[in-house]
Amino acid sequence: MPEREGEGRVALYMRVSSEEQVERMSMATQEEFLTQYASLYGLTVVETYRDEGVSGTVPVHERSAGRQMLEAASEGAFGVVLVYKLDRLGRTLLVTVDAHDRLEAAKVALKSATEPVDTSTPAGRLIFQMLASFAEFERGTIRERTTHGLHRAYRAGKQSGRIPYGYDIGEDGTFVVVEEEARVVRQIISNIASGGTLYSEAERLNSLGVPAPGMKYRGRERQHGPAWSTRTIHNICRQGAYSGEHLIRANGGKDPIVRKTPAIVEPSLQRRAIESLSENKRRYNRPTDRKYLLSGLMRCEVCGGAYVGHPTRSKNKKLYYYRCANDHRTRREKNPKATRGHAPYIRAEWIESLVWSDVRRFLQDPGSLLERLKEQLDTEGEKRELEDRLADLERRLAAKHAEKDRYVRMYAMGHLDDEELGSYLEDLRLRTENLQLLIEATKSDLAKKDQKRELAESAGAYLAELRRRIGEVEADTPEAFDVRQKLVRLLVEEISAGRDEKGKTRVRITYRFDPRVVEGMPDSCEFLLPKPVS
């Protein structure tokens, strides 16, 4: 076969996932080996492409360096792509075949420095297909072997992951009680069972200065968290290990593992605590309780924690704030410096009114913003690219069917013997299957693009209906609140709170569209924080 144009000019392609880099496969290892390989065979390295921290299941054209490599290949910058091993290109058959097909369309060969891959011959393509299949099989086998190993260890009573608060791991790999922590667990569950609330328990522990659980792994000291939170208290109350049965939801919850542990509390006491939590939740959700419009959207710029609703009283008047979930009023009263690691409290009425006024302004004229939404989805440009690829793949598949007829005619005329015919037909079968695989994947991608466009169009109809019924949307009813909250979550990506260089409280609202399209709609704003309410 004639030598490909530019075959002596190669591009190096390397990829590692986060786990591989930590365990064994570093980028430096691959680059050193590939550079020496190119030097040994007299190849000229014209470019090096590195995708770091990228899974092998992500298509090459969707990776940053991978896409640059494919674009350069289509421009004829090099004639060969050299990889350390085929699984650096992809960990699934579809990803590997797709990358090879795109390179082949650009008349660029693919070579592996550690495997006999030469896709310019039928035998080389057969080896390529086998190795690509092995890479996917290996990935599945490793995952299955790892999962089974963990399950066996769990069923044997051993703990390989995070250790629940109140326990440590003994020399035999089983749980042992840490009495100092166990006393805290007993007190928490007892107080909740007696009618205490998650908030009151978190406040009590923080005011006493009890170190928060944080994380602990086998053979290491416990790394305590910044403060007790209601979520931590909730998880402790529902941790089955404390009453003697540790539940592990293995295999996505389909294969739960229950194992015995040394009990810290009586099962009946823990059941009462769980029942008390359920009752508290029903009381909390009564119609008279205030709901927070921006729940789940706000975060602290200082520590990264979520902002939560926080009611308080001042001079017999109830006030509502958003505050960082990692910040606690009792800690600040005891130690004013304790809150320097968190953003300040923010009046709920103020921030909710600000955000809703922006959203309401959007409702008055959503047309231009919906057009931007469609542009951001970029359905047309990507869709045309996918349609062109699908047409090319279907054309090449039809050509392969015609090629089969040609081989059969050559065999009938005596130009091919049985062995040659078998070799050609096997190679043709593999190529045909690869094209069919790529066609199905491209059709699936096209369907996803259509779904995104339909989503944008349905969003337009939904917003037009809301604009027509704005009076009902702003009504003071639970149903109207749910609609407002749904709308806010549709349009607002995130709200962050922090301080500027002058110490002012800064609130930054990030929308899912460009706010500059609507005149006067801010992307951030600042205000002075009122004096804290004691």
Side-chain angles (χ1 to χ4, degrees):
M1 183 173 179
E3 183 178 296
R4 295 179 185 231
E5 183 179 353
E7 190 162 334
R9 300 164 62 229
V10 303
L12 309 183
Y13 178 74
M14 295 163 286
R15 177 197 64 81
V16 290
S17 66
S18 301
E19 295 80 5
E20 288 170 334
Q21 189 161 14
V22 170
E23 292 174 7
R24 68 188 188 282
M25 179 66 68
S26 71
M27 199 72 80
T29 301
Q30 296 180 58
E31 186 165 8
E32 180 182 4
F33 189 93
L34 292 176
T35 303
Q36 292 177 356
Y37 180 94
S39 176
L40 178 65
Y41 288 93
L43 304 174
T44 302
V45 178
V46 297
E47 191 58 76
T48 300
Y49 299 94
R50 304 174 183 85
D51 273 314
E52 194 163 359
V54 179
S55 169
T57 61
V58 176
V60 173
H61 65 278
E62 293 182 9
R63 306 172 194 170
S64 175
R67 188 165 188 85
Q68 293 175 23
M69 177 188 70
L70 293 174
E71 290 173 353
S74 64
E75 295 170 359
F78 43 81
V80 178
V81 168
L82 182 63
V83 295
Y84 176 80
K85 197 176 178 183
L86 201 59
D87 64 6
R88 298 303 89 203
L89 208 59
R91 277 287 193 174
T92 67
L93 181 61
L94 174 60
V95 171
T96 308
V97 167
D98 179 71
H100 170 254
D101 184 76
R102 291 172 185 268
L103 289 172
E104 188 175 44
K107 295 182 171 54
V108 173
L110 172 65
K111 287 187 178 181
S112 168
T114 59
E115 300 156 322
V117 174
D118 179 5
T119 57
S120 64
T121 66
R125 286 191 291 272
L126 175 61
I127 293 174
F128 164 80
Q129 191 82 10
M130 292 171 60
L131 290 174
S133 300
F134 288 155
E136 182 171 20
F137 176 74
E138 180 188 14
R139 177 174 174 268
T141 302
I142 291 172
R143 184 171 60 241
E144 184 178 7
R145 190 186 307 126
T146 302
T147 301
H148 288 170
L150 284 172
H151 289 187
R152 283 195 301 272
Y154 284 141
R155 289 192 174 93
K158 296 184 178 181
Q159 177 74 10
S160 59
R162 188 180 297 185
I163 303 170
Y165 182 70
Y167 293 104
D168 200 349
I169 301 297
E171 293 182 1
D172 61 350
T174 58
F175 283 4
V176 294
V177 175
V178 177
E179 190 53 41
E180 182 180 358
E181 297 176 357
R183 283 197 298 270
V184 177
V185 171
R186 293 189 192 101
Q187 189 65 59
I188 290 172
I189 294 178
S190 177
N191 289 347
I192 295 295
S194 301
T197 65
L198 299 175
Y199 180 78
S200 65
E201 274 304 289
E203 294 287 84
R204 179 184 70 82
L205 292 165
N206 285 317
S207 64
L208 292 174
V210 178
M215 296 180 293
K216 177 173 175 56
Y217 295 91
R218 185 176 183 180
R220 304 179 192 174
E221 293 294 325
R222 179 171 293 279
Q223 308 228 337
H224 294 285
W228 288 85
S229 67
T230 55
R231 171 58 58 185
T232 303
I233 304 297
H234 178 274
N235 291 342
I236 283 178
C237 290
R238 292 185 174 275
Q239 174 57 263
Y242 296 139
S243 55
E245 288 190 346
H246 188 212
L247 175 65
I248 299 173
R249 300 188 181 280
N251 193 22
K254 299 176 183 178
D255 186 20
I257 299 170
V258 180
R259 56 191 187 166
K260 297 297 181 181
T261 55
I264 290 178
V265 298
E266 289 293 326
S268 58
L269 178 65
Q270 188 166 28
R271 283 196 298 271
R272 290 203 305 274
I274 293 173
E275 290 170 0
S276 178
L277 287 179
S278 300
E279 181 60 30
N280 288 345
K281 185 176 181 180
R282 284 193 292 272
R283 290 201 304 270
Y284 178 78
N285 287 330
R286 64 184 184 272
T288 55
D289 283 333
R290 187 188 196 281
K291 293 184 177 181
Y292 291 85
L293 183 67
L294 308 179
S295 175
L297 287 174
M298 296 185 65
R299 69 172 182 84
C300 174
E301 283 187 0
V302 181
C303 73
Y307 256 59
V308 296
H310 177 73
T312 187
R313 283 189 175 276
S314 177
K315 298 179 181 179
N316 296 323
K317 181 180 179 181
K318 200 162 188 179
L319 302 174
Y320 300 94
Y321 289 85
Y322 287 94
R323 67 162 173 83
C324 176
N326 296 327
D327 190 8
H328 294 275
R329 178 74 62 180
T330 53
R331 293 180 69 209
R332 181 165 64 195
E333 291 172 348
K334 187 173 181 179
N335 180 8
K337 296 181 180 180
T339 58
R340 289 185 178 177
H342 307 286
Y345 285 35
I346 296 176
R347 285 290 294 269
E349 291 86 351
W350 181 87
I351 186 64
E352 289 175 356
S353 175
L354 174 68
V355 172
W356 180 250
S357 66
D358 289 345
V359 171
R360 197 180 197 282
R361 196 177 308 151
F362 166 78
L363 277 179
Q364 300 305 316
D365 181 24
S368 57
L369 294 179
L370 285 172
E371 287 303 315
R372 287 193 67 87
L373 176 61
K374 292 177 182 179
E375 290 174 12
Q376 289 172 4
L377 291 174
D378 194 24
T379 52
E380 289 305 320
E382 293 183 9
K383 187 176 180 181
R384 281 195 299 271
E385 182 181 333
L386 287 171
E387 287 173 342
D388 291 344
R389 178 157 176 75
L390 178 61
D392 178 63
L393 290 170
E394 290 179 335
R395 176 188 58 77
R396 287 158 56 194
L397 180 62
K400 292 302 175 189
H401 290 315
E403 191 174 337
K404 179 180 179 180
D405 295 336
R406 182 165 62 85
Y407 285 140
V408 172
R409 285 196 302 271
M410 291 175 66
Y411 174 75
M413 295 170 63
H415 297 308
L416 296 176
D417 58 26
D418 291 348
E419 185 177 348
E420 289 173 323
L421 177 64
S423 175
Y424 282 126
L425 290 182
E426 177 63 15
D427 177 52
L428 189 60
R429 181 186 67 80
L430 292 174
R431 286 181 164 227
T432 301
E433 288 180 355
N434 287 346
L435 287 170
Q436 290 172 336
L437 177 66
L438 294 174
I439 286 171
E440 291 303 315
T442 306
K443 286 181 177 178
S444 175
D445 290 341
L446 275 169
K448 291 176 183 176
K449 293 296 177 187
D450 289 336
Q451 288 174 357
K452 285 185 177 181
R453 174 159 288 281
E454 289 172 6
L455 175 64
E457 292 172 353
S458 63
Y462 172 68
L463 293 172
E465 178 67 13
L466 288 180
R467 179 178 56 178
R468 189 178 66 81
R469 302 171 57 186
I470 188 66
E472 297 176 39
V473 172
E474 294 183 324
D476 188 17
T477 64
E479 294 77 17
F481 175 87
D482 291 341
V483 173
R484 289 198 299 275
Q485 190 172 66
K486 180 180 178 181
L487 183 58
V488 167
R489 290 177 177 175
L490 176 67
L491 301 179
V492 179
E493 183 172 335
E494 182 184 74
I495 303 171
S496 60
R499 295 185 188 274
D500 66 5
E501 61 280 0
K502 297 180 181 179
K504 288 184 178 181
T505 297
R506 177 180 61 214
V507 176
R508 196 179 302 276
I509 306 167
T510 304
Y511 294 93
R512 297 187 188 277
F513 49 82
D514 188 344
R516 291 169 296 181
V517 177
V518 177
E519 183 179 357
M521 182 173 283
D523 58 359
S524 66
C525 51
E526 297 178 359
F527 72 106
L528 285 173
L529 180 70
K531 287 185 177 181
V533 179
S534 58

